[in-house]
Amino acid sequence: MPAKHSVKTYIEDSYYHVYNRGVEKRNIFRDDYDYRVFMNLLKIYLSPLPDAINEMEKIFPTKKIRIKKTFHDEIDIISLCLMPNHFHLLLHQNSSKSITEFMRAVCTSYSMYFNKKYSRVGSLFQSIFKAVYVSKDEYLLHLSRYIHRNPLKLTGFNPVKLGEYPYSSFSTYLNPAQRPWINTQFIYDYFTSGSPALAYKEFVEMIEDEKPELLNLVIEDD
């Protein structure tokens, strides 16, 4: 039987929670540079093609990585969090095939980088990425919170330190100019009075736990 969320039917103009982890739960990010490469790949594949080609040459200066297309105006990253052995992305796509092509491009490029750096061969990720269709507005908002609270699984992190975690988009919600390629407006639209950034910060940091029945998630990321 196929793994849960591994067989996907995509819908245009829709939201998806996309996640994956390392094969045998191994770390896919071993140092700060690894995290930054993955983040840069996300940015690159969301950039106009000429910009993407130039940026890719900085990551792979001795090897030509041909980029035939990017997903500028096709994909929006709403929230993200990278953890040592897995990642979470909350994505919006405009066409029914964008997410599949986007994730294949990002993960293939990162696997090539990682395998070369650490002199390894074979699959880096456990399997094809998982994707969950986000069907409700309330689900979208709470899923973004769930993603941004992932660093609490790490020793030494508490809610007031979430904005200091460098490998998630939470700090971008506090300062949108930090990473303009992350689209914060989808979530900001839920907060119509006062400062959306401040209201979202309070929402993420509140002590109340997520409700499994609301998120309806079964995520094997530990």
Side-chain angles (χ1 to χ4, degrees), residues 25-207:
K25 300 185 179 182
R26 297 179 184 177
N27 285 355
I28 54 177
F29 307 110
R30 297 185 182 179
D31 60 25
D32 174 70
Y33 192 74
D34 293 345
Y35 285 101
R36 289 193 286 117
V37 166
F38 194 89
M39 296 277 271
N40 282 332
L41 286 170
L42 294 173
K43 177 184 176 181
I44 285 170
Y45 281 107
L46 293 176
S47 301
L49 186 57
D51 296 339
I53 293 173
N54 291 334
E55 289 298 316
M56 188 66 85
E57 290 177 353
K58 296 178 182 179
I59 297 179
F60 297 97
T62 62
K63 189 170 184 178
K64 294 289 185 180
I65 304 295
R66 294 183 178 180
I67 306 178
K68 297 181 179 179
K69 68 169 291 187
T70 62
F71 302 86
H72 183 62
D73 294 331
E74 290 187 37
I75 292 282
D76 286 293
I77 294 182
I78 300 171
S79 304
L80 69 87
C81 186
L82 312 184
M83 299 286 281
N85 73 345
H86 66 280
F87 65 80
H88 294 277
L89 304 173
L90 179 53
L91 306 178
H92 175 268
Q93 68 171 5
N94 291 323
S95 70
S96 60
K97 297 181 179 180
S98 296
I99 284 180
T100 299
E101 295 175 354
F102 175 71
M103 292 307 303
R104 181 184 298 123
V106 170
C107 291
T108 298
S109 296
Y110 183 74
S111 295
M112 292 174 63
Y113 152 80
F114 189 93
N115 283 355
K116 181 177 181 179
K117 178 178 178 179
Y118 296 107
S119 301
R120 68 180 300 277
V121 295
S123 298
L124 175 61
F125 297 101
Q126 179 174 272
S127 62
I128 189 171
F129 64 90
K130 310 298 191 300
V132 183
Y133 172 57
V134 182
S135 59
K136 299 178 181 179
D137 284 348
E138 187 179 19
Y139 180 49
L140 184 74
L141 180 59
H142 283 265
L143 179 55
S144 176
R145 179 179 186 266
Y146 168 84
I147 289 172
H148 284 148
R149 288 175 66 86
N150 252 246
L152 297 180
K153 300 175 183 178
L154 301 174
T155 302
F157 265 87
N158 58 58
V160 298
K161 291 186 176 182
L162 288 174
E164 300 174 11
Y165 188 69
Y167 315 121
S168 92
S169 53
F170 186 47
S171 60
T172 307
Y173 275 81
L174 309 182
N175 178 19
Q178 183 185 71
R179 297 188 186 104
W181 49 274
I182 294 175
N183 193 329
T184 59
Q185 196 59 48
F186 289 95
I187 298 299
Y188 278 169
D189 284 345
Y190 287 94
F191 304 94
T192 57
S193 61
S195 166
L198 180 58
Y200 183 67
K201 179 178 184 293
E202 293 175 349
F203 173 71
V204 171
E205 293 178 349
M206 66 182 182
I207 297 175

